[in-house]
Amino acid sequence: MSLVRSMVFGAAMASLGLAEVAAAQGPECLSEREVTSLVTYALPVVMDSTIKTCRPTLSPQGYFATQGSGLVQRYAARKGAAWPEAKAALFKLGGNDVKMKDLVSTLSDEALQPFAEGLVAAMVTKGIKPDQCKAIERATRLLSPLPPENTAEIVTFILVMADKPKVRGAVGASKPSDLPICPAA
């Protein structure tokens, strides 16, 4: 769960090159719909990178080896529709640095998308440990019958639930959110 949250947040921040700016200035919160757009856009890259990363540790007759590329293609069909709102969410995460936003906004989608996808792929590759691959393959297989939009909504639901402040100790201090999700209205 924290891997997914870290991938979505990290990809969003890194794809704009604004992690330091956002940390310093506090990004705006994202609606659940915006998070879902980010997840919808990133899922095909996350799945493809996971399949490639886990290939050496999994069975050549397993789900990823036999069904993985078809699943990635099915999810990729939704990327284009999710991009405009995902891109807007990325800009919201960028903080308040107008000069940086102006600079990044001059990039075409054709330039920005591969950059964002490359960063997501690198984060997935770095974040997955070989002993996690069987569990990830199983979870993917269990979710695979769902339409891609349902899977994106489930991931968003998990991110929202994981984003709830956690009370620590008797003093009631809470952990700050990794992904600024707006409270439900």
Side-chain angles (χ1 to χ4, degrees):
M1 184 163 51
S2 94
L3 173 65
V4 173
R5 182 174 39 176
S6 296
M7 287 187 296
V8 171
F9 179 69
M13 298 306 288
S15 69
L16 292 177
L18 300 173
E20 294 83 16
V21 173
Q25 298 179 347
E28 297 178 54
C29 66
L30 299 178
S31 69
E32 288 186 30
R33 180 179 166 144
E34 290 168 321
V35 174
T36 300
S37 294
L38 284 171
V39 170
T40 300
Y41 185 79
L43 269 175
V45 175
V46 169
M47 285 188 286
D48 188 54
S49 299
T50 300
I51 291 167
K52 290 174 182 170
T53 301
C54 289
R55 185 174 289 138
T57 63
L58 296 174
S59 167
Q61 289 78 37
Y63 182 78
F64 279 165
T66 61
Q67 307 289 318
S69 65
L71 188 65
V72 170
Q73 289 175 355
R74 191 164 58 108
Y75 278 75
R78 302 235 180 250
K79 278 176 55 176
W83 174 246
E85 194 163 11
K87 180 180 177 182
L90 291 173
F91 278 97
K92 278 179 89 172
L93 287 173
N96 299 320
D97 187 325
V98 175
K99 288 182 183 180
M100 184 61 79
K101 283 185 177 182
D102 287 345
L103 174 68
V104 173
S105 69
T106 64
L107 295 174
S108 69
D109 288 348
E110 293 76 24
L112 188 56
Q113 288 173 333
F115 180 66
E117 292 171 15
L119 288 167
V120 170
M123 292 175 63
V124 170
T125 302
K126 182 180 176 185
I128 294 177
K129 309 293 183 266
D131 64 340
Q132 296 173 316
C133 288
K134 283 186 181 183
I136 294 170
E137 183 181 45
R138 178 177 182 224
T140 303
R141 180 182 53 79
L142 292 170
L143 290 170
S144 68
L146 294 175
E149 58 271 17
N150 288 61
T151 303
E153 289 283 343
I154 287 172
V155 171
T156 299
F157 173 77
I158 292 168
L159 291 170
V160 168
M161 295 306 293
D163 191 58
K164 302 285 186 216
K166 288 138 186 92
V167 176
R168 292 186 183 178
V171 289
S174 64
K175 178 185 177 252
S177 174
D178 290 333
L179 183 64
I181 300 172
C182 303

